[in-house]
């Protein structure tokens, strides 16, 4: 299967891996170098670098050079775009939950064993 080329698909593909999500969670606390990012994982530095490449391709992280240090930084724009996309569907699931709540209330009406909140 060819790699996704649209930004949303790249973001979703990058976030599909728990190691990459953990890397982003760490970067939310501030910049870090590859060694710092690799520290909590039982995987090689080249594997961490491959994860970072996926995140970088998706625009979720950027790397800069400060002397010998190559800090990795979280970039928020793709996450904002993802949140905007998900928000579009919020009305759908809110309505679905409202319908389910109404159905459950209707089904338990008059049932003495029904739990009341």
């Amino acid at each position: 299967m060819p790699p996704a080329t649209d930004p949303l698909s790249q973001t979703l593909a990058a976030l599909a891996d728990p190691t990459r999500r953990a890397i982003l969670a760490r970067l939310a606390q501030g910049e870090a170098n590859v060694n710092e990012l690799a520290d909590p994982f039982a995987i090689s530095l080249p594997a961490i670098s491959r994860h970072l490449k996926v995140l970088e391709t998706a625009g979720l992280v950027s790397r800069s050079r400060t002397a010998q240090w190559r800090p990795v930084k979280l970039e928020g724009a793709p996450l904002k775009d993802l949140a905007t996309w998900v928000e579009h569907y919020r009305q759908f699931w809110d309505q679905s939950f409202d319908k389910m709540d109404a159905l459950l209330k209707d089904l338990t009406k008059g049932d003495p064993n029904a739990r009341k909140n």
Side-chain angles (χ1 to χ4, degrees), residues 19 22-23 26 32-43 48:
T19 299
I23 290 170
R26 165 54 186 88
N33 64 35
V34 175
N35 288 330
E36 292 168 331
L37 293 172
D39 193 42
F41 304 104
I43 59 178
I48 290 293

Side-chain angles (χ1 to χ4, degrees), residues 19-32:
T19 299
R20 291 193 288 267
R21 291 192 306 270
I23 290 170
L24 291 178
R26 165 54 186 88
L27 290 173
Q29 299 170 14
E31 294 180 354

Side-chain angles (χ1 to χ4, degrees), residues 42-61:
I43 59 178
S44 67
L45 283 176
I48 290 293
S49 292
R50 286 190 296 273
H51 283 297
L52 288 173
K53 182 66 178 166
V54 172
L55 292 168
E56 195 171 18
T57 299
L60 290 163
V61 301

Side-chain angles (χ1 to χ4, degrees), residues 59-71:
L60 290 163
V61 301
S62 62
R63 297 189 221 195
S64 61
R65 172 163 262 158
T66 306
Q68 296 297 322
W69 196 56
R70 300 242 5 218

